[in-house]
Amino acid sequence: MTTLEAPRVVSLAERPDLETAMLEMEATWPEFIRPDPVVITWAFERHAEHQLVVLDGDDVVARAATVPFCWDGDPETLPDTGWDEALRLSMLDTHDGRPLNTLCALEVAVVPGQRSRHLSGRTLAAVADNAREHGFRDVVVPVRPSRKHLVPEMPMDSYVARTRDDGLPEDPWLRVHVREGGQIIGVCPASMTITGSLAQWRDWTGLPFDTSGPVTVPGALNPVEVSVEHDRAVYVEPNVWVRHRLDSFLTKGAPS
């Protein structure tokens, strides 16, 4: 068992040999969530300095995949198609030479067996440190709440509004962000869209997918819409935009 006495953060720019280990790190993404590998490869190659790996000895225990883009700072202009659009904007803004002033964290993940060691908040702090070092003014995150899948029929707005007696979000992952200085600024209702044939969905989930209409799928934040007639199913995942202003982001406890 690892001790996490001195976790270290390195970027893929510093340690390109860690790319495979970063990609293959155990995480909790459902099988059906499959970001475009071509786009991910572009992000890793073009912005390797913003892909972070947390190491305990030689073991990868957390990762953060981030991309820069140009944002005017107005919460209203963050895209409703959060995850997908942030990646697209990063590609366009990078290609067109626009000022890349904001870092978007597409994923912050911790190996499941390491979660009790507070690595999620520490990895978020490392993302902020990386953003500051490169002159960004904000970190924004299309957050995938960790327990929304338990209530897939509940609208995301209603879920986000659930708080504990201390005023913090009821959802553990949203709570980590708020504790680390994040501000919940809105819902991106169509953050990621996954479309596949019924055969693909059966392979991903083990469910029959033999009836048209909404289907509750383990791990999905919303029901999956199935069309037997057209031999396809579509999952549209909502996320929550969280903003971390770098002048207020906590750095205490960040890995070094």
Side-chain angles (χ1 to χ4, degrees), residues 52-243:
L52 304 182
V53 180
V54 181
L55 296 170
D56 179 37
D58 294 328
D59 297 327
V60 175
V61 293
R63 68 188 180 199
T66 68
V67 293
F69 70 108
C70 180
W71 180 45
D72 62 9
D74 181 356
E76 296 295 325
T77 64
L78 283 175
D80 288 341
T81 48
W83 200 103
D84 287 343
E85 185 67 3
L87 197 46
R88 190 184 76 88
L89 286 173
S90 180
M91 296 182 73
L92 290 175
D93 293 343
T94 300
H95 180 269
D96 293 342
R98 297 187 184 92
L100 304 176
N101 56 21
T102 302
L103 198 63
C104 181
L106 298 174
E107 181 192 26
V108 176
V110 176
V111 171
Q114 307 289 346
R115 289 177 182 170
S116 63
R117 292 164 176 173
H118 310 295
L119 273 179
S120 54
R122 297 166 76 181
T123 306
L124 273 175
V127 169
D129 288 344
N130 177 267
R132 285 195 191 92
E133 290 169 7
H134 289 87
F136 296 108
R137 66 185 186 190
D138 289 288
V139 172
V140 294
V141 190
V143 175
R144 186 177 204 267
S146 56
R147 293 186 180 170
K148 174 64 173 70
H149 66 283
L150 300 176
V151 285
E153 300 291 344
M154 179 180 289
M156 184 62 88
D157 284 331
S158 300
Y159 182 80
V160 172
R162 298 168 66 170
T163 58
R164 308 190 312 178
D165 291 342
D166 60 4
L168 291 171
E170 186 177 288
D171 183 83
W173 189 211
L174 287 175
R175 192 161 62 246
V176 169
H177 279 273
V178 173
R179 280 177 169 161
E180 293 293 334
Q183 177 189 12
I184 296 172
I185 57 177
V187 170
C188 35
S191 186
M192 184 184 293
T193 299
I194 308 293
T195 303
S197 68
L198 298 186
Q200 286 178 304
W201 279 98
R202 292 177 187 124
D203 182 58
W204 295 336
T205 68
L207 299 176
F209 282 91
D210 54 4
T211 304
S212 293
V215 172
T216 299
V217 172
L221 308 193
N222 277 348
V224 175
E225 292 295 330
V226 178
S227 173
V228 172
E229 296 77 11
H230 295 93
D231 188 29
R232 68 169 181 255
V234 180
Y235 171 62
V236 180
E237 172 160 302
N239 289 162
V240 181
W241 277 119
V242 175
R243 177 185 197 174

